[in-house]
Amino acid sequence: MDYRIALDQATPVSYELDWGTVRGLCWGDPNDIRVVATHGWLDNSHSFLPLAANWSADRGGLLALDWPGHGHSDHRPTGNYYHFIDYAYDLWQLIEQQGWQQLILLGHSMGGFVSNVVAALCPERIKSLILVEAFGLLVSDGTNAREQLQQGFVSRKKLKTPRWRSHSSFDSAVDARAAQADFSSDLVKLIVERGSELRSDGRWHWRADARVKATSPYRLPSAAVDDLLQELTMPVVVVRGSKGYDKLESALEKWQHKVSKLSCVTLEGGHHVHMEQPEKIAELLKSHV
């Protein structure tokens, strides 16, 4: 499918946070945001282009954000890193700043983990929560605290002069990303289009801040996730890919009893099932808007 029409219909948007600017794309009225879609690690807002092609503008605004350090959003200032909890602060700050109400949060992978934390912090603002290939959090129960800290600190030191490998052509960049993907090259190309740029040296460079590769030095314990998830009073839908994230089942077994209005949907596809099955995700959204 040619997604150029959906891209041409998008309105570029930007929001000033207390450290810099986050950017994204909106389909429908940017002054009437109904859905905030957040992508996974090393993806960008183009991962929601297939969904946007199935979105009706009369339902309000569908906003797909680039996380800090991804896509067209600013990189964090020098000396800062990409803590998971800071992504949550960014989204929470944006929702509070804009005064959004009756919001649907649609999060894929990392975006889903962030979204279920933020929804727990401001449940009165969230109408529904749709988590694609995500539920709960990656946790640490203290048994490996020293190892987690050490790995996190060492990874920061290695990234003192962070850089990505550049590519001689756009197709080479697509091939490199496709080698790490479980979805088609045509869909990979969408993400690479927004996630790379041709620079004056004639080579294609990744836009993402290489510091996003740093290992997290700290993860919340399971007890903290218990407390957060039980605050999810809105309908919560977990969308699983039939060939997706293998740890999702154990997360559901561990925490599903904490969420009173939880339902699960399994669609044919992998970890990026929202790109592979956009029509079904659009129908799911339609039932919640």
Side-chain angles (χ1 to χ4, degrees):
M1 180 181 291
D2 184 3
Y3 297 106
R4 189 60 50 188
I5 294 175
L7 188 56
D8 290 342
Q9 292 173 340
T11 300
V13 293
S14 63
Y15 302 94
E16 297 298 324
L17 301 185
D18 57 10
W19 61 268
T21 304
V22 293
R23 298 178 176 85
L25 298 170
C26 180
W27 290 269
D29 187 355
N31 296 310
D32 181 28
I33 299 299
R34 301 291 182 87
V35 180
V36 174
T38 52
H39 61 79
W41 184 68
L42 287 184
D43 287 346
N44 53 63
S45 58
H46 271 201
S47 70
F48 294 101
L49 264 180
L51 171 62
N54 292 274
W55 178 257
S56 297
D58 58 5
R59 297 179 195 163
L62 165 64
L63 170 62
L65 290 172
D66 290 330
W67 282 122
H70 295 72
H72 288 203
S73 287
D74 286 354
H75 294 186
R76 296 200 188 279
T78 301
N80 289 262
Y81 291 86
Y82 291 83
H83 306 275
F84 171 84
I85 212 65
D86 285 334
Y87 288 119
Y89 175 62
D90 292 329
L91 182 56
W92 176 86
Q93 180 188 173
L94 179 58
I95 292 171
E96 292 287 321
Q97 177 197 95
Q98 297 298 312
W100 290 325
Q101 300 283 353
Q102 291 293 295
L103 196 64
I104 297 174
L105 292 183
L106 168 63
H108 168 241
S109 195
M110 183 180 81
F113 292 127
V114 173
S115 292
N116 64 192
V117 169
V118 171
L121 297 177
C122 53
E124 72 284 354
R125 293 186 181 274
I126 309 303
K127 183 179 181 181
S128 298
L129 180 62
I130 299 176
L131 308 172
V132 180
E133 284 283 290
F135 182 66
L137 287 179
L138 301 177
V139 298
S140 172
D141 289 325
T143 56
N144 63 340
R146 178 183 178 278
E147 180 183 355
Q148 187 77 36
L149 282 168
Q150 189 169 50
Q151 287 180 352
F153 290 170
V154 168
S155 72
R156 289 183 180 185
K157 186 176 180 181
K158 289 180 178 178
L159 290 169
K160 191 173 182 180
T161 54
R163 60 175 59 90
W164 299 103
R165 176 191 169 194
S166 63
H167 294 272
S168 59
S169 68
F170 177 76
D171 287 345
S172 173
V174 171
D175 289 344
R177 180 59 194 269
Q180 306 298 321
D182 65 348
F183 51 110
S184 73
S185 292
D186 286 344
L187 294 176
V188 168
K189 189 178 294 184
L190 298 179
I191 294 174
V192 176
E193 281 181 353
R194 191 168 176 89
S196 64
E197 61 183 353
L198 180 62
R199 295 184 184 170
S200 58
D201 62 0
R203 296 184 65 82
W204 287 84
H205 295 258
W206 301 111
R207 289 180 178 271
D209 188 342
R211 289 177 295 169
V212 304
K213 295 190 293 182
T215 301
S216 174
Y218 174 74
R219 289 176 176 171
L220 291 173
S222 292
V225 181
D226 292 345
D227 290 343
L228 287 168
L229 293 185
Q230 66 189 11
E231 299 298 326
L232 298 179
T233 54
M234 72 293 296
V236 178
V237 182
V238 175
V239 180
R240 295 181 288 187
S242 59
K243 304 168 188 173
Y245 183 45
D246 59 2
K247 294 183 180 179
L248 187 53
E249 191 63 38
S250 60
L252 284 165
E253 290 177 2
K254 188 172 189 177
W255 287 305
Q256 62 185 345
H257 65 286
K258 295 292 182 180
V259 181
S260 58
K261 299 178 183 177
L262 178 69
S263 60
C264 297
V265 176
T266 300
L267 301 177
E268 183 66 29
H271 188 55
H272 285 71
V273 67
H274 63 303
M275 299 186 75
E276 297 173 294
Q277 301 280 359
E279 299 91 348
K280 293 183 178 179
I281 300 296
E283 284 299 313
L284 180 60
L285 274 179
K286 184 179 179 180
S287 68
H288 285 264
V289 172

